[in-house]
Amino acid sequence: MAPLGPAERVLVSENFLNSVHGQLACISCHGGNPNTPLTKEAKKDAHAAEADFVALPSEQFEVYCSACHSDITSKFKTSLHYTQNGYFERFKVRAGGQELSTDSNMKAGFGKDCAKCHAGCGQCHVIRPVSVNSGLERAHQFYRTPSLVNNCTACHGSRVGEEFRGSHKGQTGYEHVKEADVHYNKGMNCSACHAADEMHGDGNAYTYRLVENPDFVPQCTDCHADVLDANTENNYHKTHVQGSTTLQCQVCHSQTYKSCNGCHVGKGITGSSYPTFKIGKNYLKNTSSFRTTDYALVRHIPIAPDTYDNWGGSISLSTFKAAPTWKYATPHNIQRWTFLTDTTGTAWCGANCHGQFDEVLLKKTDVDSTYLNAELEANEPVFTD
Amino acid sequence: MKKLVLIPFLAIFMVLFSCQEKKTDIAQKEGIYEATQQSSCVACHTNKGLLEQVAEPLENGGGEAGEG
C-alpha cells in the first residue's frame, strides 16, 4: 500500500462537497475554527482543541453518526472491531482470569502498543486506518464497501493480506505457494465473504469470534454447498468431510502460510515470522455447531509467557497454558490444486499427506525450545503425536 | 389569454426554484446546514497547492501492519 502524501491525506474533493455528507458544514462534525486565515501560522488555530476540533468524529459515532445510522451504531458499540474484547478475553484466559484493565501499567501498555487496532466507522468508510497513518482514502468521500488494500488489509495485512494476494510466491520457505487465493484472482473483495453484519456486530457482546456466532464466520459451504454431490468421484472429500477422520476444507486447499513468534510488544519468543503449514488436532472440536472437524490448520501466534513484561504491570500470564499458541488458522490462499491435492507424479492424493509431506502434522518437536515446557503444555490438545 | 399571463410568473417561479440552495434531508433534519461552506476549512482543504505548503510530513510513511 503506497502511503498518502501529506497534502493528499487531507485533501477534500468537489465530489465530496456534492455528496450527502458534504452537504453538512465541516464544523458540524469536526468543530474547529472555520474563520481563520489560510496560512501555516493559522493552521493551529483552525485545528485547536480550544476550538473543539475533532479529527476523527466517527470515534464518537453515537454523537456524529447515529442520527442517520442508528441501526448500525446501536449494534456497533458492542462489536469486536470496536471493543477489541476478543483481545481482552484471550488475555484474561492466560492471566488467571485477571482483567487487563485493572492494572494501570498494563492498560497504558495496551494503549500504546495495541489499541491502534481498534476501528471506528471512519477507518473503514472514510479514511485509512490510524495504525497505518490514516489519511482521507477518497478525498473525504464516504464509501460503503471498504477498500481491500487500503482498509481491510491495512490492518489485516501481515498474514491475511499477504496470503490473499500471493505475496509470498517465490520467497524462501514458501515454495509450495503457486498462486494468490483463487477468490482474489476472481476479483472478490473481503466483503464477499465477510458481510457487513459480521463487521458491525449484531448487538451482542461477543468475546471469541472463532466459536460464538456461526453467522459471523464464513463457511466454504456457504457458496460450495454442492462440493460432495458435484464431485462424487473424489474419495477424499467423502473420507475427510463425511468419513471417520474429518478435516477443514483449508487443510487440503491452502498453501504455505505465515506463523509469528515475536510480538510488537517486544518480549517473547524471538524471530518475527516464518513459513508454516501445520495440521493439528481440532482443539475447538464441538465447542460450537460449526467446529466439528477432527483436524484443523494451525499457526503459531505471537505470544509467550513474558510477552507483556515490558509493560511493567503486575499481572502475569499465570495460566499461559490455558490456550494453545498454535491457533486455528484460516489461510487466505485457497486453491483447488495445492501441493497436497496435486497428484501429479504420485500414486494418490493421500500419499502427499501420509507420505512425502508428513511434516505437515504438528508434533511436539515443532515447538520453540525457548519456552519448551510452556509450549508443550499449552499445545497438548493440538499435537498430533 | 390567461395562459399568456401566467407564463411570466411561471418563468420567474422556475428561476427562483432552481437557484435555491439544495439541502439534503439529513441537513434539514439536523438543522446544521446553515453554517456556510465558504469557510476557511473548505478553502484550504480543496486547495492542493496550499495544502502542500502547509501540511507537515509524517515520521512514518505508512505501510501494512496488524494482527490478521
Side-chain angles (χ1 to χ4, degrees):
Chain A
M1 179 179 64
L4 293 167
E8 286 177 295
R9 293 179 73 247
V10 292
L11 182 66
V12 173
S13 70
E14 190 78 20
N15 286 340
F16 167 72
L17 296 175
N18 291 326
S19 71
V20 170
H21 293 96
Q23 300 296 296
L24 303 170
C26 306
I27 57 168
S28 59
C29 292
H30 290 286
N33 182 352
N35 300 307
T36 51
L38 303 182
T39 63
K40 195 164 190 173
E41 295 71 35
K43 198 176 89 173
K44 279 185 183 171
D45 297 333
H47 304 98
E50 297 77 31
D52 296 326
F53 175 69
V54 180
L56 305 171
S58 73
E59 292 301 304
Q60 303 170 63
F61 54 83
E62 288 189 293
V63 175
Y64 293 104
C65 309
S66 64
C68 296
H69 302 287
S70 61
D71 56 328
I72 296 171
T73 56
S74 61
K75 297 172 183 170
F76 187 62
K77 62 186 174 187
T78 55
S79 77
L80 292 177
H81 258 136
Y82 181 70
T83 65
Q84 295 185 275
N85 269 344
Y87 187 100
F88 294 124
E89 188 65 19
R90 301 322 293 164
F91 177 90
K92 200 164 80 172
V93 166
R94 293 188 197 276
Q98 294 191 78
E99 302 270 2
L100 183 148
S101 59
T102 60
D103 183 292
S104 59
N105 286 340
M106 302 296 279
K107 199 173 171 182
F110 178 85
K112 180 171 67 74
D113 290 325
C114 312
K116 278 196 296 188
C117 292
H118 143 95
C121 312
Q123 296 189 52
C124 294
H125 298 290
V126 188
I127 58 173
R128 295 183 180 185
V130 172
S131 61
V132 290
N133 281 339
S134 196
L136 293 165
E137 165 62 8
R138 296 177 197 175
H140 210 320
Q141 283 203 79
F142 287 54
Y143 43 95
R144 187 178 292 272
T145 304
S147 158
L148 186 159
V149 173
N150 295 332
N151 292 114
C152 306
T153 63
C155 288
H156 301 279
S158 59
R159 284 173 274 187
V160 172
E162 290 183 1
E163 288 158 12
F164 198 51
R165 296 197 293 270
S167 303
H168 296 305
K169 188 177 173 183
Q171 294 178 358
T172 303
Y174 290 94
E175 287 77 13
H176 291 311
V177 175
K178 303 297 183 194
E179 289 284 345
D181 192 294
V182 63
H183 306 94
Y184 176 76
N185 286 341
K186 294 277 185 187
M188 291 169 68
N189 202 335
C190 304
S191 58
C193 296
H194 299 280
D197 285 348
E198 181 190 345
M199 301 298 104
H200 297 151
D202 64 358
N204 292 310
Y206 295 110
T207 58
Y208 199 18
R209 182 184 70 87
L210 289 179
V211 299
E212 288 180 326
N213 187 337
D215 293 337
F216 289 173
V217 178
Q219 304 289 309
C220 305
T221 49
D222 293 344
C223 292
H224 302 283
D226 63 344
V227 67
L228 290 174
D229 296 337
N231 198 357
T232 55
E233 293 180 2
N234 188 333
N235 286 330
Y236 306 106
H237 277 171
K238 287 179 185 171
T239 302
H240 289 313
V241 178
Q242 294 178 320
S244 57
T245 305
T246 52
L247 311 175
Q248 294 170 308
C249 304
Q250 61 261 39
V251 166
C252 293
H253 291 289
S254 285
Q255 307 167 84
T256 311
Y257 50 88
K258 184 189 281 185
S259 276
C260 297
N261 280 358
C263 182
H264 313 290
V265 174
K267 294 281 278 187
I269 308 171
T270 56
S272 56
S273 66
Y274 50 93
T276 50
F277 191 101
K278 291 293 178 186
I279 304 168
K281 283 185 184 168
N282 182 3
Y283 61 95
L284 294 176
K285 185 178 180 183
N286 296 332
T287 52
S288 70
S289 60
F290 57 100
R291 297 299 185 200
T292 58
T293 62
D294 296 307
Y295 290 88
L297 279 190
V298 289
R299 70 168 111 212
H300 197 276
I301 56 169
I303 186 75
D306 59 355
T307 289
Y308 303 107
D309 285 2
N310 281 354
W311 288 356
S314 60
I315 303 175
S316 67
L317 299 184
S318 58
T319 51
F320 180 80
K321 64 180 182 182
T325 61
W326 284 88
K327 187 185 167 191
Y328 240 68
T330 49
H332 283 54
N333 56 12
I334 300 298
Q335 279 289 327
R336 174 178 289 175
W337 300 113
T338 66
F339 74 108
L340 292 177
T341 58
D342 184 355
T343 56
T344 306
T346 58
W348 58 304
C349 179
N352 289 336
C353 277
H354 302 287
Q356 64 169 329
F357 295 130
D358 62 359
E359 75 272 17
V360 297
L361 301 174
L362 183 74
K363 296 173 182 166
K364 293 185 176 73
T365 50
D366 289 319
V367 301
D368 191 287
S369 58
T370 314
Y371 299 92
L372 187 61
N373 290 335
E375 286 273 308
L376 288 174
E377 289 180 10
N379 296 296
E380 185 57 41
V382 195
F383 292 129
T384 60
D385 59 348
Chain B
M1 185 62 187
K2 283 182 180 177
K3 285 181 182 173
L4 286 174
V5 172
L6 283 174
I7 285 174
F9 288 103
L10 192 60
I12 291 168
F13 175 77
M14 287 176 72
V15 168
L16 288 174
F17 184 77
S18 64
C19 290
Q20 191 178 21
E21 200 170 24
K22 289 179 182 173
K23 296 179 183 180
T24 66
D25 292 342
I26 296 171
Q28 288 171 339
K29 186 167 83 173
E30 297 307 304
I32 50 181
Y33 183 77
E34 300 307 326
T36 175
Q37 289 207 338
Q38 300 307 314
S39 64
S40 54
C41 315
V42 172
C44 182
H45 283 269
T46 55
N47 185 337
K48 191 172 183 183
L50 178 61
L51 287 173
E52 284 172 346
Q53 290 176 38
V54 301
E56 287 149 23
L58 296 170
E59 288 180 7
N60 300 315
E64 291 179 333
E67 190 273 339

